[in-house]
Amino acid sequence: MRFTLLAVLFATACSGSSTPTQAPSETAQGKAERLQIGSLEAFALDDGYIVEPNDGKAFVLGHTSEAAEVLAAAGLPSDKIRLDVQVLLVKAGDHVILFDTGAGAFIPTAGHLSKSLALAGVEPSAVTDIFISHTHGDHVGGLVTKAGALAFPSATIHMSAPEWATFRADPDADAKRLVAAIEAKVSAFEPGAQVLPEVKAVATQGHTPGHSSYEVSSGDDKVFYLGDVAHHSVLSVQRPAWSIQFDHDHAAGEAMRQQTLAQLASDHTRVFAVHFPFRGVGHVVAEGQGLVWKPE
Ligand SMILES: [Zn+2]
């Protein structure tokens, strides 16, 4: 059921609206923005976005009115919660690496990764490695085409052993189809493993049992690929203790979110955040009693 949770909530959120939100034109076309990690060429690739109403059901359980105040104070609409979806592409020697794959056909306002990848000049068949943070639909939906074939046929799909075990045990029909499509390509690693010279897994379980973040390093430069340790650049960073429906284990998710964000702030670590506003690159910074997101 976990695999479909997001789709179910999304469908519920959209069913009450007679005028669906128009996707920005640049999202429909895809978008790729270059960034540098030491000597490595990298890109933030736009996949689309997710919008949920601020009704206390999805991201900020039981905090609707406080969330509205926090959103308004940040200059954002207070009645909805928007998450962007972006994929990190890194070229490291012979390796062409994606971190997660966006939503594919799983969410109607996302699934534009292939267009953005083309803008970065990369053919799907050139991708050699894919690192999965966790197996929710907005991260693994892009592993397959609409027809269900592998979208990146040459790529090894890396994910943590506990995440893969959990996904394989998921009784949901969509999850079973996806597991069958990818299992020959999956290489599971132990949490925290140094998987490639440039890519080290960081165990950040809580959102899911085997959730993994990643450190991408080149020389003294480093980017921390956050995954879904935090979802919203304002709510999750400024109020990390608020429960999120999508966290498999609410208490563990909250603890990991607070601990990880505090560590990133004290270490001044450069962060790539999947769901923060495009391009999702910046720093978590201590301000007053709490933390704020400062995009690059
Ligand atoms: Zn997500």
Side-chain angles (χ1 to χ4, degrees):
M1 288 305 289
R2 292 182 313 107
F3 182 76
T4 50
L5 176 63
L6 189 58
V8 170
L9 282 167
F10 186 85
T12 307
C14 290
S15 62
S17 169
S18 56
T19 49
T21 311
Q22 192 68 42
S25 58
E26 76 266 19
T27 297
Q29 298 305 316
K31 209 168 19 171
E33 278 196 27
R34 196 171 186 280
L35 55 136
Q36 197 75 26
I37 307 169
S39 63
L40 307 178
E41 186 183 24
F43 288 86
L45 304 177
D46 173 55
D47 189 62
Y49 64 92
I50 302 164
V51 177
E52 296 279 352
N54 176 23
D55 59 5
K57 292 180 184 164
F59 293 106
V60 286
L61 298 178
H63 292 282
T64 302
S65 56
E66 291 161 275
E69 288 171 20
V70 174
L71 289 166
L76 295 171
S78 57
D79 61 341
K80 59 187 176 192
I81 296 172
R82 174 186 163 124
L83 305 183
D84 282 0
V85 182
Q86 53 250 344
V87 171
L88 175 62
L89 164 69
V90 176
K91 297 179 180 176
D94 294 338
H95 292 275
V96 178
I97 308 166
L98 293 178
F99 291 84
D100 291 328
T101 59
F106 189 64
I107 292 171
T109 52
H112 305 306
L113 172 61
S114 60
K115 294 174 206 147
S116 299
L117 192 64
L119 291 175
V122 173
E123 295 284 332
S125 59
V127 176
T128 61
D129 299 87
I130 300 170
F131 286 87
I132 297 297
S133 63
H134 66 298
T135 54
H136 285 173
D138 55 321
H139 298 255
V140 293
L143 284 170
V144 292
T145 64
K146 278 196 176 125
L150 287 170
F152 306 99
S154 314
T156 300
I157 300 166
H158 306 273
M159 71 177 84
S160 82
E163 191 68 14
W164 179 228
T166 305
F167 199 32
R168 292 184 76 133
D170 193 328
D172 177 79
D174 287 338
K176 279 180 175 297
R177 262 195 300 278
L178 190 49
V179 165
I182 68 173
E183 61 186 341
K185 307 296 275 184
V186 170
S187 173
F189 58 79
E190 288 308 310
Q194 181 86 46
V195 185
L196 292 177
E198 302 85 358
V199 182
K200 183 181 188 305
V202 180
T204 46
Q205 68 284 349
H207 180 58
T208 61
H211 188 281
S212 186
S213 302
Y214 297 98
E215 281 180 5
V216 184
S217 301
S218 170
D220 292 336
D221 259 15
K222 183 171 82 176
V223 163
F224 187 87
Y225 182 86
L226 187 63
D228 276 11
V229 173
H231 290 80
H232 193 275
S233 64
V234 173
L235 296 172
S236 304
V237 175
Q238 297 184 20
R239 298 293 188 275
W242 286 357
S243 292
I244 291 177
Q245 177 59 34
F246 307 127
D247 283 349
H248 164 79
D249 178 331
H250 288 186
E254 287 147 33
M256 184 57 72
R257 189 160 47 251
Q258 291 183 284
Q259 173 194 322
T260 304
L261 293 175
Q263 190 72 46
L264 293 170
S266 71
D267 293 347
H268 308 289
T269 303
R270 193 182 186 204
V271 175
F272 185 99
V274 184
H275 288 310
F276 291 7
F278 188 83
R279 57 186 189 159
V281 182
H283 290 79
V284 179
V285 175
E287 190 175 283
Q289 298 296 309
L291 301 170
V292 293
W293 173 246
K294 299 280 188 197
E296 250 178 41

